[in-house]
Amino acid sequence: MASFNCRWRLSFFLITTMALFHQAIASGYYSTPKFKAMPWKLAYATFYGDETASETMGGACGYGNLFNSGYGTATAALSTVLFSNGYSCGQCFQIQCVKSKFCYKGFTTITATNLCPPNWAQDSNHGGWCNPPRQHFDMAKPAFMKVAQWKAGIVPVMYRRVPCIKKGGIRFAFQGNGYWLLVYVMNVAGGGDVESIWVKGSKTGWMKMSHNWGASYQAFATLSGQSLSFKLTSYTNHETIIASNVAPSNWHVGMTYQAKVNFH
């Protein structure tokens, strides 16, 4: 009798566990580790553009007009070391000015939207601020002025990765054509970044998209006339989510579609 009860309890446990697992998949999540703030590190910061931040629009991540895509002026271009070949696009950082008479108290939070390229014609300590292996933030001027006086030019800062707080689901901006789909991924919460993306048409299985540049991914496939779903894995903490039926079967390039799920 005791043996029967043990087997019954084990079976009940396995059935319950599998039910919860399938419920998680159905809701769009494979795993749900929450991204947490990281330790503070030392770096340097400068600014580019003026108070309107008009020169920060576009950029190496491919977010286009940063006001329309939801990032505004709280942005920065990362040095090569921090940019990680575009996988850092969308990451969020707290930045605090330190050890300078030009510092303001407190910190500001920015999103990585651009690359600050190396300047090999200048020494790393005298103009080549974004040369490897320097960790450097070239901030939009409005963001820089929240932590330091603009006349400082360059200041030492403490920075740390923090969770990206976003409203709503991940957004997908479509480019390409019926035989080549190029997707820009925006409004990413949690770690803010994406490592891998798969696309699934209503008539296909999952197909892995290749990293194009910045926050864009591409698939060479005939997907026109099909509703599209996406599976995404975070670059930082490897969380995987499924965004089902993001785009209807009559989707068009030039349009942006929003999922109902996001990272944690």
Side-chain angles (χ1 to χ4, degrees), residues 139-242:
M139 303 171 67
K141 190 173 182 180
F144 184 88
M145 291 193 302
K146 289 185 177 181
V147 296
Q149 299 177 45
W150 67 268
K151 63 182 179 181
I154 180 172
V155 292
V157 297
M158 297 298 293
Y159 78 94
R160 66 172 179 171
R161 288 274 311 280
V162 293
C164 296
I165 309 301
K166 303 294 181 183
K167 293 183 179 179
I170 295 175
R171 293 200 294 267
F172 302 83
F174 283 21
Q175 296 295 331
N177 52 52
Y179 309 96
W180 171 61
L181 178 64
L182 180 67
V183 174
Y184 295 89
V185 188
M186 302 177 290
N187 200 51
V188 181
D193 50 29
V194 174
E195 179 182 49
S196 303
I197 296 183
W198 293 258
V199 62
K200 181 180 183 298
S202 51
K203 300 177 183 178
T204 74
W206 287 110
M207 295 177 287
K208 188 170 184 178
M209 306 180 75
S210 59
H211 185 212
N212 187 290
W213 59 280
S216 67
Y217 294 78
Q218 61 189 1
F220 294 93
T222 304
L223 294 168
S224 58
Q226 302 181 56
S227 59
L228 302 181
S229 300
F230 294 91
K231 181 168 62 173
L232 306 93
T233 298
S234 167
Y235 179 72
T236 299
N237 62 343
H238 310 298
E239 178 186 0
T240 298
I241 60 176
I242 292 179

Side-chain angles (χ1 to χ4, degrees), residues 9-221:
R9 289 172 183 171
L10 178 60
S11 298
F12 178 78
F13 172 78
L14 292 174
I15 291 172
T16 302
T17 301
M18 290 301 296
L20 292 173
F21 175 74
H22 287 294
Q23 183 180 1
I25 293 178
S27 64
Y29 290 89
Y30 273 179
S31 56
T32 55
K34 289 187 177 181
F35 178 80
K36 297 180 180 179
M38 295 183 174
W40 291 92
K41 297 180 180 179
L42 180 65
Y44 286 85
T46 50
F47 68 87
Y48 69 116
D50 57 19
E51 286 84 350
T52 67
S54 59
E55 292 184 31
T56 69
M57 298 300 110
C61 290
Y63 294 137
N65 185 303
L66 298 178
F67 293 105
N68 294 340
S69 55
Y71 297 104
T73 61
T75 65
L78 306 187
S79 61
T80 304
V81 171
L82 293 174
F83 192 66
S84 301
N85 293 320
Y87 287 108
S88 295
C89 287
Q91 292 180 356
C92 298
F93 299 84
Q94 285 180 346
I95 296 180
Q96 181 178 18
C97 178
V98 296
K99 300 178 181 179
S100 172
K101 64 181 181 180
F102 299 108
C103 289
Y104 294 138
K105 293 183 179 179
F107 58 81
T108 191
T109 302
I110 57 92
T111 302
T113 59
N114 203 354
L115 167 68
C116 179
N119 181 1
W120 301 115
Q122 299 291 332
D123 183 87
S124 295
N125 295 313
H126 297 282
W129 309 123
C130 292
N131 295 351
R134 291 181 64 95
Q135 299 187 48
H136 190 91
F137 296 86
D138 198 19
M139 303 171 67
K141 190 173 182 180
F144 184 88
M145 291 193 302
K146 289 185 177 181
V147 296
Q149 299 177 45
W150 67 268
K151 63 182 179 181
I154 180 172
V155 292
V157 297
M158 297 298 293
Y159 78 94
R160 66 172 179 171
R161 288 274 311 280
V162 293
C164 296
I165 309 301
K166 303 294 181 183
K167 293 183 179 179
I170 295 175
R171 293 200 294 267
F172 302 83
F174 283 21
Q175 296 295 331
N177 52 52
Y179 309 96
W180 171 61
L181 178 64
L182 180 67
V183 174
Y184 295 89
V185 188
M186 302 177 290
N187 200 51
V188 181
D193 50 29
V194 174
E195 179 182 49
S196 303
I197 296 183
W198 293 258
V199 62
K200 181 180 183 298
S202 51
K203 300 177 183 178
T204 74
W206 287 110
M207 295 177 287
K208 188 170 184 178
M209 306 180 75
S210 59
H211 185 212
N212 187 290
W213 59 280
S216 67
Y217 294 78
Q218 61 189 1
F220 294 93

